[in-house]
Amino acid sequence: VKFAYLSADFANPTGECLTPMEREKLLDIADALDIAVIEDAAYRALRYDGERQQTLLAMDCARSGGIENTRTLYCGSFSKTLSPGLRV
């Protein structure tokens, strides 16, 4: 495994969001495996109610002491820009 690619907010097809605890666990696993995390946040702005969750990148920055020490790459709409029909 070289990296983890995911949509933490409103993932297709269920529309589920990762909880803060699940996000922390994901970062723990990435640390243990020494892999990068690509966070695709194409649907992040769709939240109409409830509290907006912290991005994986923001959590990683807080844990590692700054953006230069993180393993997370934040993409606002990578999957929709690259290929809207691509399914991984």
Side-chain angles (χ1 to χ4, degrees):
V1 177
K2 302 291 182 188
F3 65 90
Y5 172 86
L6 71 137
S7 295
D9 296 296
F10 307 109
N12 278 327
T14 63
E16 293 290 321
C17 298
L18 293 180
T19 66
M21 185 185 300
E22 291 169 332
R23 293 167 194 252
E24 288 287 347
K25 181 68 174 169
L26 178 80
L27 292 173
D28 290 341
I29 292 169
D31 284 340
L33 295 175
D34 193 27
I35 60 171
V37 175
I38 300 173
E39 179 179 12
D40 187 352
Y43 304 115
R44 181 166 172 75
L46 294 178
R47 183 175 300 277
Y48 294 109
D49 63 348
E51 297 215 12
R52 184 174 280 187
Q53 301 296 324
Q54 211 175 14
T55 64
L56 288 167
L57 177 60
M59 294 174 89
D60 200 4
C61 284
R63 289 165 54 127
S64 63
I67 197 164
E68 62 278 349
N69 300 321
T70 65
R71 63 178 61 254
T72 304
L73 174 64
Y74 178 89
C75 300
S77 62
F78 181 72
S79 65
K80 301 305 170 214
T81 303
L82 175 67
S83 176
L86 178 67
R87 297 289 180 245
V88 179

